[in-house]
Amino acid sequence: MLDHCSISHKGGVVLWSRSFTPAASHTAASSSSPVNSLVREALIEGRSSDGKYEKDGYAVKWTFVNDLELIFVVAYQRILQLTYVDELLLALKTLFIKLFQPFLATFVASLHVTSTTKLSSSGDPPFLWNFQKAFEGWDAVFDKLLRGLEDKAAQERRTRVVHAPRPALDVTPPSDDVDTVPAVSNADVQDEEQIARNVQALKNRLRGRGGQAGRRGRGRTDVGSGRESVPGSDSETPTSKRKARAKTQRKWGNEAPTESDMVSLDYSYDSASEGRQGTLDVSSLVDSASLGTRTQDGLYEVKDWEFLSQGEKNADDVIAEVLKKGGQEAKPASSSLGALGSIFARLTGSKVLTEEDLKPVLEAMKQHLMKKNVAKEISEKVCEDVGQSLVGKKVGGFQTTTSAVRQALANSITRILTPKTSTDLLLSIRTKLSTPVAASQQRQTYSITFVGVNGVGKSTNLSKVCFWLIQNGFRVLIAACDTFRSGAVEQLRVHVRNLGMLGVDGATNSKGRVELYERGYGKDAAGIAKEAISYARDNDFDVVLIDTAGRMQDNEPLMRALAKLVATNNPDKIIFVGEALVGNEAVDQLTKFDRALRDFSAASGGQERGIDGMLVTKWDTVDDKVGAALSMTYVTGQPIIFVGCGQTYTDLRQLRVANVVQAILSD
C-alpha cells in the first residue's frame, strides 16, 4: 500500500498530491517528510540517478519529465515489497502529460516569464493558478489506475503461491530376468576399500604414537623392531615420521651486560634525541616552496591544490575546448571526451534530445570518468544523472548542444563535490574554544579522530595537520591510540620531536606546543583517548589529535572497537584517511566504515556518528586521475578537508571544486 504520491514542478510548486494514511498526511506537511528529504539530500546534491531513496523507514521512487520540468514521486513503507511502483510511475507520467499537456505547457512558460521579467508598475496582482479546477477528474483516473495495478500485483502473488505439479515418477515393476538385476558399482567397491585402508592407517598411526611413548620409557630397546618403518597407507611414507629439525635458539651470555653494552642497545627517545638532535637537518622537515601563506589576521593557510597541466584555464574553458574538437576531423587516438564532442556535433537542428541520442555520449562519458579513477558504480550514476537532465531538452544547433552538455557536466560534478557542511576547521576550533563555560567547569578542548584502513598514511598526515595547527597558535596533544602496530608509538614520538624543533612566529622551536600522550601497547584505545582528552583539558591544550590503528572495513570486531572509541569520547570531527590511488575500493571502504560507525556507535549507547570529512593521501601520485575525490564525496556526502601530497610537514593542500572539475574533465 502506498503512503504518499505527488506531482510537482522543479521550482517547488506542488501541482497534485495524495496521502493514503493519517500518519503520512501529517508527515507530508512537515519539513522532515520523505519528499522534502529527497529534494534536499538527493535531487539538489545530484544523487538522483539511483531512482530510489530511503529515509526514516520510507522508500521513495521518482521520475522526471524534463521538457515540462515535472517530478513524479511515490513514497511507501520500506518493509513492503511493492512490485508495481515502477509501472505506476511510468503510467502516471504518461497519463498526466497526455491529459493536461496544454495547461502544463502554459503554466511552465508563465513561470519562466515571471522569473525573467518584472511586474508592471500598475501593481496588478499576479495571476493565481487553480490547480484543483485544472486537474478536475484526475483523482478518479488515478484511483482507477492504482486499483488496476494493485489487483494485478495481487493476482501475480496468488499465482506464485500455487506450486507447479510434480512430474510423475516412471515406476517399472521388478523383473525376473537376471540381467536386469542392478550390479554393485565398481566405484562403491573402491570407496569401501579406500575407507578400509584409511581406517587401518589411522590405527597404525595411533599404535605408533603408543610405541613411541613406550620407547621413551624403556630407552632404545625397541629400535629396529620394524613396526615404525612400515607405512600404514598409500600416502604415508617413512619420511613423514622424521622429526622436524628444531630451530637454533639464540644464546645469551651468562654474565650481566656491561654499561657499554647497555648504551649500545639503548634506542629510547631520550638517548637518541640527545645524540642526534644537533645533527638533524631541520630544513629537510619542511619545504619552503610548499609553505602556506599568512592572512591579514595572522592565520596560516595551506596552499590550494592546482591542476597546472592545462595552464590557467578554468573548468568551463576546458569543457568548451574539448567539445569543440567534435567539429574537427576525428583522429584514431582521440580521447573519450573528444568522441563525446564529435557525437554531439552531429546533433544539429531543432530537435528534442532522446535517450537513444544520448546513449553513445553517456557511454563515452562513463569510460572517460573511469579512466580518471572514478569508481565504476559512481561513473554510471553520474552519467545517468546527466542523461536525466538532458532528456527532453531542445537543441537548436551545435552551440546550443555544447552549452547544454557543459551545463549538465558542470552542474552534476559541481553539485557532488560542493560540500554541504563547512570545511573551515579553524573556525570550528575557535568557535568551540571561545564558547563561554561556567566558572566551575573546565575549558573544552577540540578533538579530532583519524580513522582508515592499514597503510594509507594516517600517522604521517596527522603530523601534517598538527604542524598546521601549531602554525595557527594552538597547543596540540597527540594521543597514541594505535596500540597494535609495532612502532606506531615510536613513529609518533619522532614526529613530536621533529615538530617541537620547528619554529613558529619567529621562535626557534615549538617546544611546549605539542606533546605525545601514550600508554604503550596492548591497552584499550578508547580508554587511552579518554585519558588523553582529560589530560589535555587539565593542561590547557587546545586540540587533541587521536591516532587509531588501521583496520579493514570487513573486520567487525575491530570496527566495533573503533565505534566504542567514538561513542566513549564523542570527538568533534571523525576524519577518514584514504588513498588517492584507489578506484572501486574507495566506495567499499567508505560505505562500510560509515555504516559500521553509525550502527555500532549507536549500539554502544552513544549518539549515531558517521564520517565527518576525508583526508586523501598520496595525491601527488595520481596527476589528473583525481576521480577518487568524486567517488568519496559521492558516497558520503561529506567534504574533503585536506589532501596530502608529499613527505614534509608542509605538504598539505586544500581542494577547490573548480580545480577538481578541471582535472576530471581534462583530455
Side-chain angles (χ1 to χ4, degrees):
M1 179 179 177
L2 298 181
D3 280 68
H4 183 77
C5 182
S6 67
I7 303 173
S8 58
H9 184 264
K10 288 184 177 181
V13 181
V14 179
L15 304 181
W16 176 86
S17 66
R18 168 83 67 86
S19 296
F20 297 86
T21 62
S25 179
H26 176 72
T27 305
S30 64
S31 60
S32 60
S33 68
V35 178
N36 290 333
S37 300
L38 167 71
V39 174
R40 287 194 307 268
E41 301 178 8
L43 301 184
I44 293 180
E45 295 182 11
R47 304 169 193 274
S48 59
S49 58
D50 289 341
K52 186 176 181 180
Y53 171 80
E54 295 181 353
K55 180 74 172 181
D56 297 335
Y58 287 97
V60 185
K61 289 192 174 184
W62 68 94
T63 186
F64 296 107
V65 178
N66 285 324
D67 53 344
L68 295 176
E69 303 175 0
L70 299 182
I71 308 174
F72 294 77
V73 181
V74 171
Y76 57 95
Q77 294 291 332
R78 183 174 58 185
I79 196 173
L80 301 178
Q81 300 296 328
L82 302 183
T83 58
Y84 60 86
V85 174
D86 294 330
E87 189 176 356
L88 174 63
L89 280 173
L90 181 60
L92 273 180
K93 180 170 65 173
T94 304
L95 285 175
F96 194 76
I97 299 303
K98 183 177 180 180
L99 294 175
F100 307 109
Q101 170 75 26
F103 173 81
L104 295 173
T106 305
F107 170 70
V108 173
S110 67
L111 291 180
H112 289 287
V113 171
T114 303
S115 62
T116 55
T117 60
K118 297 181 180 180
L119 295 177
S120 61
S121 58
S122 60
D124 295 336
F127 181 77
L128 298 179
W129 295 92
N130 189 345
F131 297 122
Q132 184 175 1
K133 182 178 179 181
F135 302 135
E136 186 176 1
W138 170 247
D139 287 338
V141 175
F142 175 79
D143 292 337
K144 183 177 180 180
L145 173 63
L146 180 60
R147 194 181 307 112
L149 291 176
E150 289 179 343
D151 293 343
K152 179 181 177 182
Q155 180 64 28
E156 291 177 353
R157 286 196 298 270
R158 285 193 294 268
T159 56
R160 285 197 298 267
V161 171
V162 179
H163 297 286
R166 296 181 179 179
L169 298 177
D170 186 11
V171 181
T172 57
S175 174
D176 295 333
D177 189 358
V178 180
D179 297 336
T180 61
V181 177
V184 179
S185 173
N186 293 332
D188 296 338
V189 176
Q190 293 177 1
D191 289 343
E192 292 177 359
E193 294 176 354
Q194 182 66 32
I195 292 173
R197 286 198 301 269
N198 293 341
V199 171
Q200 184 63 33
L202 180 60
K203 291 180 179 179
N204 292 339
R205 283 197 293 271
L206 293 175
R207 191 182 306 116
R209 292 177 184 176
Q212 291 175 1
R215 281 193 298 277
R216 282 195 295 270
R218 297 189 300 268
R220 298 178 177 272
T221 57
D222 290 341
V223 176
S225 61
R227 185 170 57 185
E228 297 286 335
S229 62
V230 179
S233 66
D234 295 341
S235 60
E236 188 175 358
T237 61
T239 57
S240 62
K241 295 297 180 181
R242 296 177 183 175
K243 291 185 178 180
R245 188 173 182 179
K247 180 181 178 181
T248 304
Q249 296 182 354
R250 185 171 184 175
K251 295 182 179 180
W252 296 90
N254 295 327
E255 300 178 356
T258 62
E259 185 177 353
S260 60
D261 294 335
M262 294 294 294
V263 172
S264 63
L265 294 174
D266 186 5
Y267 294 99
S268 62
Y269 167 73
D270 294 332
S271 61
S273 61
E274 289 173 3
R276 292 194 296 263
Q277 183 168 351
T279 60
L280 181 63
D281 186 8
V282 179
S283 61
S284 64
L285 303 178
V286 296
D287 183 5
S288 57
S290 60
L291 273 172
T293 57
R294 293 276 178 186
T295 63
Q296 295 180 352
D297 299 332
L299 300 179
Y300 175 82
E301 292 185 350
V302 299
K303 282 188 174 182
D304 293 339
W305 176 77
E306 297 180 355
F307 180 63
L308 302 176
S309 63
Q310 291 290 337
E312 300 297 328
K313 300 175 184 177
N314 56 31
D316 287 344
D317 295 336
V318 173
I319 302 172
E321 181 179 346
V322 171
L323 292 176
K324 286 180 181 178
K325 293 182 180 180
Q328 303 173 0
E329 183 178 354
K331 298 180 180 180
S334 62
S335 67
S336 56
L337 278 183
L340 173 73
S342 176
I343 294 171
F344 264 97
R346 296 195 294 269
L347 298 177
T348 57
S350 180
K351 63 170 295 185
V352 177
L353 293 178
T354 62
E355 294 183 3
E356 289 74 16
D357 298 328
L358 295 173
K359 186 175 181 180
V361 182
L362 297 178
E363 180 62 27
M365 186 190 303
K366 185 183 76 172
Q367 295 298 328
H368 177 82
L369 292 177
M370 291 172 62
K371 290 178 182 177
K372 294 294 184 176
N373 214 15
V374 180
K376 181 176 182 294
E377 178 184 354
I378 307 302
S379 302
E380 293 173 349
K381 292 178 179 179
V382 171
C383 293
E384 289 175 10
D385 182 50
V386 172
Q388 288 179 358
S389 64
L390 289 177
V391 171
K393 294 285 186 180
K394 292 184 178 180
V395 294
F398 178 70
Q399 186 61 37
T400 305
T401 305
T402 304
S403 176
V405 176
R406 180 190 309 167
Q407 192 68 26
L409 286 173
N411 287 350
S412 180
I413 299 179
T414 303
R415 278 199 305 269
I416 295 171
L417 293 175
T418 301
K420 62 180 181 181
T421 58
S422 174
T423 59
D424 193 344
L425 200 55
L426 285 180
L427 178 62
S428 301
I429 297 174
R430 293 182 182 277
T431 300
K432 182 172 183 178
L433 296 180
S434 61
T435 302
V437 295
S440 60
Q441 295 181 352
Q442 292 178 310
R443 187 174 68 102
Q444 296 295 320
T445 59
Y446 196 93
S447 57
I448 305 174
T449 300
F450 293 81
V451 302
V453 299
N454 309 76
V456 295
K458 290 184 296 298
S459 301
T460 301
N461 285 274
L462 177 147
S463 64
K464 296 179 184 179
V465 175
C466 181
F467 174 80
W468 170 69
L469 293 171
I470 292 173
Q471 295 298 315
N472 281 288
F474 296 111
R475 293 191 70 217
V476 184
L477 180 69
I478 298 178
C481 296
D482 184 356
T483 62
F484 178 77
R485 177 173 63 90
S486 299
V489 177
E490 288 76 10
Q491 181 184 7
L492 291 177
R493 187 176 294 148
V494 172
H495 282 310
V496 170
R497 182 200 66 188
N498 294 343
L499 291 169
M501 297 173 60
L502 299 176
V504 56
D505 291 336
T508 56
N509 59 61
S510 302
K511 288 185 177 180
R513 291 184 177 272
V514 56
E515 288 186 19
L516 175 66
Y517 188 91
E518 55 96 1
R519 287 293 180 265
Y521 295 97
K523 307 295 194 304
D524 180 31
I528 295 177
K530 187 175 182 179
E531 294 175 5
I533 294 175
S534 178
Y535 177 85
R537 191 182 299 116
D538 296 338
N539 293 273
D540 293 329
F541 282 92
D542 301 312
V543 183
V544 180
L545 302 181
I546 302 173
D547 184 34
T548 62
R551 65 205 73 208
M552 296 306 295
Q553 64 271 21
D554 297 317
N555 194 322
E556 182 177 336
L558 294 183
M559 293 305 300
R560 285 184 179 274
L562 181 61
K564 176 187 174 183
L565 185 149
V566 171
T568 303
N569 299 283
N570 192 23
D572 296 281
K573 287 285 185 183
I574 302 174
I575 297 181
F576 178 85
V577 184
E579 287 182 326
L581 302 170
V582 296
N584 294 324
E585 184 69 9
V587 178
D588 187 59
Q589 289 178 3
L590 269 169
T591 302
K592 292 183 178 178
F593 255 88
D594 189 66
R595 176 47 54 195
L597 282 177
R598 292 183 184 277
D599 292 344
F600 297 150
S601 60
S604 301
Q607 63 178 359
E608 182 179 300
R609 291 293 304 274
I611 292 172
D612 299 317
M614 283 87 70
L615 194 158
V616 186
T617 66
K618 306 174 186 177
W619 192 262
D620 53 323
T621 63
V622 294
D623 193 25
D624 62 340
K625 295 177 174 57
V626 297
L630 184 63
S631 301
M632 291 181 176
T633 309
Y634 191 99
V635 170
T636 62
Q638 300 298 333
I640 295 177
I641 301 177
F642 294 115
V643 293
C645 55
Q647 295 297 318
T648 67
Y649 294 116
T650 56
D651 289 325
L652 203 63
R653 297 287 185 272
Q654 289 183 350
L655 280 188
R656 301 297 179 189
V657 174
N659 293 337
V660 180
V661 173
Q662 179 182 349
I664 291 177
L665 297 177
S666 63
D667 230 353

PDB file of all heavy atoms in Angstrom, residues 423-440:
ATOM      1  N   THR A 423      33.951  23.505   5.639  1.00  0.00           N
ATOM      2  CA  THR A 423      35.270  22.880   5.653  1.00  0.00           C
ATOM      3  C   THR A 423      36.286  23.736   6.399  1.00  0.00           C
ATOM      4  O   THR A 423      37.474  23.415   6.398  1.00  0.00           O
ATOM      5  CB  THR A 423      35.764  22.641   4.215  1.00  0.00           C
ATOM      6  OG1 THR A 423      35.811  23.898   3.522  1.00  0.00           O
ATOM      7  CG2 THR A 423      34.844  21.695   3.480  1.00  0.00           C
ATOM      8  N   ASP A 424      35.845  24.828   7.018  1.00  0.00           N
ATOM      9  CA  ASP A 424      36.731  25.722   7.759  1.00  0.00           C
ATOM     10  C   ASP A 424      36.963  25.126   9.143  1.00  0.00           C
ATOM     11  O   ASP A 424      36.223  25.389  10.094  1.00  0.00           O
ATOM     12  CB  ASP A 424      36.114  27.114   7.855  1.00  0.00           C
ATOM     13  CG  ASP A 424      37.128  28.155   8.336  1.00  0.00           C
ATOM     14  OD1 ASP A 424      38.180  27.748   8.860  1.00  0.00           O
ATOM     15  OD2 ASP A 424      36.863  29.357   8.183  1.00  0.00           O
ATOM     16  N   LEU A 425      38.002  24.310   9.255  1.00  0.00           N
ATOM     17  CA  LEU A 425      38.298  23.640  10.516  1.00  0.00           C
ATOM     18  C   LEU A 425      38.754  24.637  11.580  1.00  0.00           C
ATOM     19  O   LEU A 425      38.444  24.483  12.768  1.00  0.00           O
ATOM     20  CB  LEU A 425      39.368  22.571  10.289  1.00  0.00           C
ATOM     21  CG  LEU A 425      39.493  21.457  11.327  1.00  0.00           C
ATOM     22  CD1 LEU A 425      38.167  20.753  11.532  1.00  0.00           C
ATOM     23  CD2 LEU A 425      40.568  20.462  10.905  1.00  0.00           C
ATOM     24  N   LEU A 426      39.488  25.667  11.159  1.00  0.00           N
ATOM     25  CA  LEU A 426      39.943  26.679  12.117  1.00  0.00           C
ATOM     26  C   LEU A 426      38.760  27.387  12.767  1.00  0.00           C
ATOM     27  O   LEU A 426      38.767  27.654  13.976  1.00  0.00           O
ATOM     28  CB  LEU A 426      40.841  27.709  11.419  1.00  0.00           C
ATOM     29  CG  LEU A 426      42.263  27.273  11.076  1.00  0.00           C
ATOM     30  CD1 LEU A 426      43.000  28.405  10.393  1.00  0.00           C
ATOM     31  CD2 LEU A 426      43.005  26.836  12.327  1.00  0.00           C
ATOM     32  N   LEU A 427      37.737  27.685  11.965  1.00  0.00           N
ATOM     33  CA  LEU A 427      36.560  28.355  12.509  1.00  0.00           C
ATOM     34  C   LEU A 427      35.854  27.472  13.536  1.00  0.00           C
ATOM     35  O   LEU A 427      35.430  27.953  14.597  1.00  0.00           O
ATOM     36  CB  LEU A 427      35.600  28.725  11.372  1.00  0.00           C
ATOM     37  CG  LEU A 427      34.285  29.390  11.785  1.00  0.00           C
ATOM     38  CD1 LEU A 427      34.563  30.713  12.492  1.00  0.00           C
ATOM     39  CD2 LEU A 427      33.390  29.602  10.576  1.00  0.00           C
ATOM     40  N   SER A 428      35.751  26.174  13.243  1.00  0.00           N
ATOM     41  CA  SER A 428      35.105  25.262  14.184  1.00  0.00           C
ATOM     42  C   SER A 428      35.879  25.189  15.497  1.00  0.00           C
ATOM     43  O   SER A 428      35.287  25.188  16.589  1.00  0.00           O
ATOM     44  CB  SER A 428      34.987  23.868  13.560  1.00  0.00           C
ATOM     45  OG  SER A 428      34.235  23.905  12.373  1.00  0.00           O
ATOM     46  N   ILE A 429      37.224  25.129  15.393  1.00  0.00           N
ATOM     47  CA  ILE A 429      38.040  25.038  16.606  1.00  0.00           C
ATOM     48  C   ILE A 429      37.913  26.309  17.432  1.00  0.00           C
ATOM     49  O   ILE A 429      37.694  26.267  18.656  1.00  0.00           O
ATOM     50  CB  ILE A 429      39.506  24.758  16.235  1.00  0.00           C
ATOM     51  CG1 ILE A 429      39.626  23.398  15.539  1.00  0.00           C
ATOM     52  CG2 ILE A 429      40.389  24.806  17.467  1.00  0.00           C
ATOM     53  CD1 ILE A 429      41.014  23.106  15.001  1.00  0.00           C
ATOM     54  N   ARG A 430      38.047  27.465  16.780  1.00  0.00           N
ATOM     55  CA  ARG A 430      37.977  28.724  17.517  1.00  0.00           C
ATOM     56  C   ARG A 430      36.600  28.948  18.117  1.00  0.00           C
ATOM     57  O   ARG A 430      36.473  29.515  19.207  1.00  0.00           O
ATOM     58  CB  ARG A 430      38.358  29.880  16.590  1.00  0.00           C
ATOM     59  CG  ARG A 430      39.815  29.850  16.147  1.00  0.00           C
ATOM     60  CD  ARG A 430      40.166  31.035  15.266  1.00  0.00           C
ATOM     61  NE  ARG A 430      41.532  30.967  14.822  1.00  0.00           N
ATOM     62  CZ  ARG A 430      42.586  31.388  15.545  1.00  0.00           C
ATOM     63  NH1 ARG A 430      42.388  31.897  16.751  1.00  0.00           N
ATOM     64  NH2 ARG A 430      43.813  31.304  15.070  1.00  0.00           N
ATOM     65  N   THR A 431      35.568  28.499  17.417  1.00  0.00           N
ATOM     66  CA  THR A 431      34.212  28.672  17.955  1.00  0.00           C
ATOM     67  C   THR A 431      34.030  27.881  19.236  1.00  0.00           C
ATOM     68  O   THR A 431      33.468  28.380  20.221  1.00  0.00           O
ATOM     69  CB  THR A 431      33.178  28.234  16.907  1.00  0.00           C
ATOM     70  OG1 THR A 431      33.330  29.029  15.720  1.00  0.00           O
ATOM     71  CG2 THR A 431      31.763  28.399  17.444  1.00  0.00           C
ATOM     72  N   LYS A 432      34.515  26.640  19.264  1.00  0.00           N
ATOM     73  CA  LYS A 432      34.358  25.831  20.467  1.00  0.00           C
ATOM     74  C   LYS A 432      35.222  26.349  21.608  1.00  0.00           C
ATOM     75  O   LYS A 432      34.788  26.387  22.777  1.00  0.00           O
ATOM     76  CB  LYS A 432      34.702  24.371  20.171  1.00  0.00           C
ATOM     77  CG  LYS A 432      34.506  23.477  21.386  1.00  0.00           C
ATOM     78  CD  LYS A 432      34.663  22.006  21.074  1.00  0.00           C
ATOM     79  CE  LYS A 432      34.383  21.161  22.317  1.00  0.00           C
ATOM     80  NZ  LYS A 432      34.484  19.715  22.046  1.00  0.00           N
ATOM     81  N   LEU A 433      36.457  26.745  21.288  1.00  0.00           N
ATOM     82  CA  LEU A 433      37.341  27.224  22.349  1.00  0.00           C
ATOM     83  C   LEU A 433      36.861  28.530  22.959  1.00  0.00           C
ATOM     84  O   LEU A 433      37.138  28.813  24.132  1.00  0.00           O
ATOM     85  CB  LEU A 433      38.767  27.396  21.803  1.00  0.00           C
ATOM     86  CG  LEU A 433      39.475  26.119  21.334  1.00  0.00           C
ATOM     87  CD1 LEU A 433      40.868  26.435  20.829  1.00  0.00           C
ATOM     88  CD2 LEU A 433      39.551  25.088  22.460  1.00  0.00           C
ATOM     89  N   SER A 434      36.150  29.337  22.153  1.00  0.00           N
ATOM     90  CA  SER A 434      35.676  30.629  22.657  1.00  0.00           C
ATOM     91  C   SER A 434      34.291  30.546  23.291  1.00  0.00           C
ATOM     92  O   SER A 434      33.772  31.563  23.745  1.00  0.00           O
ATOM     93  CB  SER A 434      35.649  31.651  21.512  1.00  0.00           C
ATOM     94  OG  SER A 434      34.767  31.226  20.480  1.00  0.00           O
ATOM     95  N   THR A 435      33.701  29.362  23.284  1.00  0.00           N
ATOM     96  CA  THR A 435      32.383  29.212  23.901  1.00  0.00           C
ATOM     97  C   THR A 435      32.484  29.403  25.404  1.00  0.00           C
ATOM     98  O   THR A 435      33.291  28.730  26.067  1.00  0.00           O
ATOM     99  CB  THR A 435      31.802  27.823  23.589  1.00  0.00           C
ATOM    100  OG1 THR A 435      31.718  27.655  22.174  1.00  0.00           O
ATOM    101  CG2 THR A 435      30.415  27.667  24.201  1.00  0.00           C
ATOM    102  N   PRO A 436      31.713  30.320  25.993  1.00  0.00           N
ATOM    103  CA  PRO A 436      31.813  30.552  27.447  1.00  0.00           C
ATOM    104  C   PRO A 436      31.307  29.346  28.227  1.00  0.00           C
ATOM    105  O   PRO A 436      30.341  28.690  27.839  1.00  0.00           O
ATOM    106  CB  PRO A 436      30.927  31.788  27.670  1.00  0.00           C
ATOM    107  CG  PRO A 436      29.981  31.791  26.507  1.00  0.00           C
ATOM    108  CD  PRO A 436      30.728  31.208  25.354  1.00  0.00           C
ATOM    109  N   VAL A 437      31.994  29.034  29.318  1.00  0.00           N
ATOM    110  CA  VAL A 437      31.607  27.927  30.184  1.00  0.00           C
ATOM    111  C   VAL A 437      31.444  28.459  31.601  1.00  0.00           C
ATOM    112  O   VAL A 437      31.915  29.554  31.943  1.00  0.00           O
ATOM    113  CB  VAL A 437      32.664  26.800  30.159  1.00  0.00           C
ATOM    114  CG1 VAL A 437      32.746  26.172  28.786  1.00  0.00           C
ATOM    115  CG2 VAL A 437      34.032  27.322  30.577  1.00  0.00           C
ATOM    116  N   ALA A 438      30.779  27.689  32.432  1.00  0.00           N
ATOM    117  CA  ALA A 438      30.574  28.093  33.819  1.00  0.00           C
ATOM    118  C   ALA A 438      31.900  28.103  34.568  1.00  0.00           C
ATOM    119  O   ALA A 438      32.872  27.443  34.187  1.00  0.00           O
ATOM    120  CB  ALA A 438      29.587  27.134  34.488  1.00  0.00           C
ATOM    121  N   ALA A 439      31.928  28.874  35.632  1.00  0.00           N
ATOM    122  CA  ALA A 439      33.168  29.016  36.402  1.00  0.00           C
ATOM    123  C   ALA A 439      33.611  27.698  36.995  1.00  0.00           C
ATOM    124  O   ALA A 439      34.814  27.460  37.202  1.00  0.00           O
ATOM    125  CB  ALA A 439      32.979  30.058  37.499  1.00  0.00           C
ATOM    126  N   SER A 440      32.672  26.824  37.280  1.00  0.00           N
ATOM    127  CA  SER A 440      33.005  25.536  37.886  1.00  0.00           C
ATOM    128  C   SER A 440      33.447  24.489  36.867  1.00  0.00           C
ATOM    129  O   SER A 440      33.870  23.405  37.247  1.00  0.00           O
ATOM    130  CB  SER A 440      31.799  24.994  38.661  1.00  0.00           C
ATOM    131  OG  SER A 440      30.683  24.825  37.781  1.00  0.00           O
TER     132      SER A 440
END
